[in-house]
Amino acid sequence: MAEELQKVHLFYDDINKIKVLEENVLKDTEDLRDTCKEYENKVQNFEKIISSLLDLIKDLGDNVENKKMAAIGAMNLLKSIAKDKESEQLKLQAEINDKTSLLEQIDSEYDTLQILEATQMETIEYLTQLR
Amino acid sequence: MKFKISSHKEPKHTGVVVCVCWNNTEDVFSCGDDHKLLKWNLVNNECLPVTTFPDDFYPTSMHLFPKTSLGGSKHQHDVILISTADGKFHIVNHNGRIEKSVTAHEGACLTAKWSPDGAGLLTAGEDGFVKIWSRNGLLRSTLVQSDVPCFDAVWSPDSNAILHTKENFLVIKHLSSSSKIVKWKAHDGLILCTAWNANNNLVVSGAEDGFTKIWDTFGQQISVSVKHDQPITSVSWSPAGDMFVAGSFNLTRLCNANGWSYCLDRPSTGSIYDIAWSMDGTQLAAACANGHVIFAHIIDREYTWKNYSCTQIGRKVISIKDIVSEENDQLDYPDRVIQISLGFNHLVVATVKQCFIHKLSSWNTPVTFDLKEGTVSMILLSERCLCVVERAGISVYSYMGRLLASPRCGGRSETLGKSSVSLGPDTLAVVDQTDRKLIHVFDLPTGLIVRSSTDSTVTKLNHKMTVSTIALSQTGPINDRQMALLDYNKDLYVVSVKDVKPKFVKLGSQVLSVVWSSETELLVGLRANAIVAWCCPRAVQLDWLVLTTVSKEVTDLGRNPCILSEEDGIVRICKGNGSVVHISIAAFQEKLLKYVSTNMWQDALQLCRTVEDETLWACLAVLAWQHHQLPVAEEAFALIRQYHQVCYIQHLRSNVPEKLSAS
């Protein structure tokens, strides 16, 4: 009976239930299915890891880009500081010149006022002596 | 003296502002590359768009029709002349409507200016032509043809000549082609801007080499500025001609007419393409490359007289201080302060609408009167009255604020300089603006009777040379009123204005500046290296004049020094570099003059005996002789060894005693 059934590819299993597949094939199939599931899980995990890695790398890239721009900016700033300094120096020099000429003006005014005071004192002394 | 600069927070033009001009003392027009014509009001700080021109309208310069007080139909006023980059000039009315457009040049028309008399206009272009047009835009003549662009051209103040730039050269060309041209190399770089002042007849030029230079009309250099880092893009004289302003990249500089700098400002505005002064010379507007129009007004003007000093510290605030009593105060005014004058125990302040007369002993209760127009260009003071020079004319007021006279002298009064008007206690002298050999002397009503302006007596004095400076003596009765005048040969003359036949007595030559003492009849003049005091300018005999003249050497006065004032024997001189020098000269002589003017002959004698100075005795001798004080004159002449005069006096005293006692 079993042989006849085997001819039409039907089998009994251990608990005498009728089956389409041979017992060892069934086992293999189940094994395959489990392995596939495992593989799928692993692939998913891998994808997760990879995407987080990508994010990380992207962040890093952005950071690097930012830093690069900042560095370029700083470098330019450094370059322009020299120029700024120069123009600032010119500005201050012009201001100093202005103030110096003003000082000269005031100095000479002060000088003549001192001379004037001296002559007036002299006159006062001369007049007091006469008294 | 410095600028207080203000501007709106946001630029009102979206592009470069190219040109500005003043409509009246509070209104400014500006025009820029955004094709907009804006009108700014400084009182309520508004900015209104007048019009927007077509898209191909790129202005290069703008000029408002000159406002003359005489003649000219009303509708001609407020006519704006704008030149554009497509070689045209446009006549625009004050509503912004283009009345007329005329193609004038190939390439850009770089500048267009009305003539000062309003009879015509000039344009200068990239094609190197300078053309003269009638007021209606008809071509009169092509004055200049050259192959290099003409960047700037200006009219002479009398409208008879033009000044134009030609690369590094400045050229003055008269309209009557017969007279020759004056041409000189002015700069090492391309000249970008020039200005010609009506008051001092000087030219200022600014160039790409970073210098501004001042020239007289013969092409002689008066002064040169310090070097600026950037090209000078604009220059402008103040209307009074006592200072000018230069604009450059991020920079404005205010300079004295002698070239030294009052102040330097660095607004971050980009290049300043155009600067215009208001008519009263206290404010200016500047067109900036970043779309701003900045406004600046002058503050920190300082005035001193005896122990008082006052400073303008804000637009409407003046601080006054008595140095002796250390009293100080701040005076606030309802309007913007335009002119300040301090002297003769009074402080006179002109604002836009009113004039305030403060007595220095009680400065908190001023006398006020209304002004005709808000453009006071000058205030002169004398012992009894003050004179206000406005665009509308000259008016003389008493210190109580009453109008005494408004003499008519013809010509435009805003071009009157300080040197061509002089006020005495009872007379006013004005040099004629059209014929500068002629001087009008007006008698001012004194006392309480106010006469109408028609019957104020006018004396006309005619000098043989062009007069540059006049000065009236400040004391004495009106019949002794004397006027000192300097002509273009720098010769000094004195004339008694009340004589039937006025005689010009020459006192000296090579005199640069002259001033009368404010309290006596002492005349002080300045030569290139000496101060001279004429104690008795009315002494007719030459040897008496020589005997009564005191001279004192002074060195390094610099270029164009001038005397500011003379008081109690102390002369204040403004040197060429702007510093004020105080020098004592003829102090005893002035004291003597004071005694004589109050008839204190005994004190005068006492002074002479004490000081024992030959010049002093000579002064006393001459003065006593002039005042018929024969005993005093006799003693004085004896001491200066003028024995023939002594004998003459003795003869007079012994032979005609009855006449002497009668007189």
Side-chain angles (χ1 to χ4, degrees), chain B residues 186-193 204-214 223-233 235 244 246:
Chain B
H187 286 271
D188 289 327
L190 193 65
I191 301 173
L192 296 176
C193 48
V204 61
S205 61
E208 280 192 341
D209 59 2
F211 288 105
T212 56
K213 296 184 181 182
I214 304 176
S223 76
V224 55
S225 73
V226 292
K227 187 173 161 54
H228 299 87
D229 325 329
Q230 308 286 342
I232 304 295
T233 46
V235 289
F244 70 92

Side-chain angles (χ1 to χ4, degrees), chain A residues 87 90-92 94-95 97-98 101-102 104-106 108-110 112-113 116 119-120 123 126-127 130, chain B residues 226 229 253 260-261 263-264 266 552 568-570 575 577-584 588 610-612:
Chain A
S87 71
L90 281 173
K91 267 184 205 171
L92 289 175
E95 231 151 86
N97 289 346
D98 275 17
S101 64
L102 188 68
E104 264 170 38
Q105 283 179 17
I106 294 168
S108 70
E109 186 167 351
Y110 181 63
T112 57
L113 280 172
L116 187 67
T119 49
Q120 281 180 343
T123 315
Y126 170 69
L127 290 177
L130 284 176
Chain B
V226 292
D229 325 329
R253 187 188 277 277
W260 49 272
S261 157
C263 75
L264 174 76
R266 293 183 183 277
K552 191 169 187 176
D568 295 329
I570 295 164
K575 291 211 294 194
N577 65 359
S579 63
V580 181
V581 172
H582 300 249
I583 290 168
S584 161
F588 290 125
T610 314
V611 180
E612 288 171 348

Side-chain angles (χ1 to χ4, degrees), chain B residues 102-119:
Chain B
V102 179
T103 305
H105 295 275
E106 280 178 38
C109 177
L110 292 174
T111 188
K113 297 231 167 64
W114 294 106
S115 71
D117 58 5

Side-chain angles (χ1 to χ4, degrees), chain B residues 521-557:
Chain B
E521 287 196 344
L522 180 75
L523 179 66
V524 183
L526 186 65
R527 290 209 171 104
N529 50 10
I531 319 175
V532 189
W534 289 273
C535 306
C536 312
R538 274 190 299 147
V540 270
Q541 274 131 306
L542 187 66
D543 53 340
W544 288 6
L545 204 60
V546 174
L547 281 171
T548 56
T549 302
V550 189
S551 175
K552 191 169 187 176
E553 283 221 355
V554 231
T555 46
D556 31 277
L557 285 173

Side-chain angles (χ1 to χ4, degrees), chain B residues 72-121:
Chain B
S73 47
K74 190 72 190 159
H75 72 273
Q76 272 290 350
H77 289 184
D78 285 356
V79 175
I80 310 165
L81 178 67
I82 302 180
S83 62
T84 51
D86 53 2
K88 289 182 181 161
F89 69 85
H90 308 266
I91 295 174
V92 179
N93 73 9
H94 65 285
N95 296 325
R97 195 159 58 88
I98 297 177
E99 304 266 357
K100 185 163 266 180
S101 296
V102 179
T103 305
H105 295 275
E106 280 178 38
C109 177
L110 292 174
T111 188
K113 297 231 167 64
W114 294 106
S115 71
D117 58 5
L121 58 99

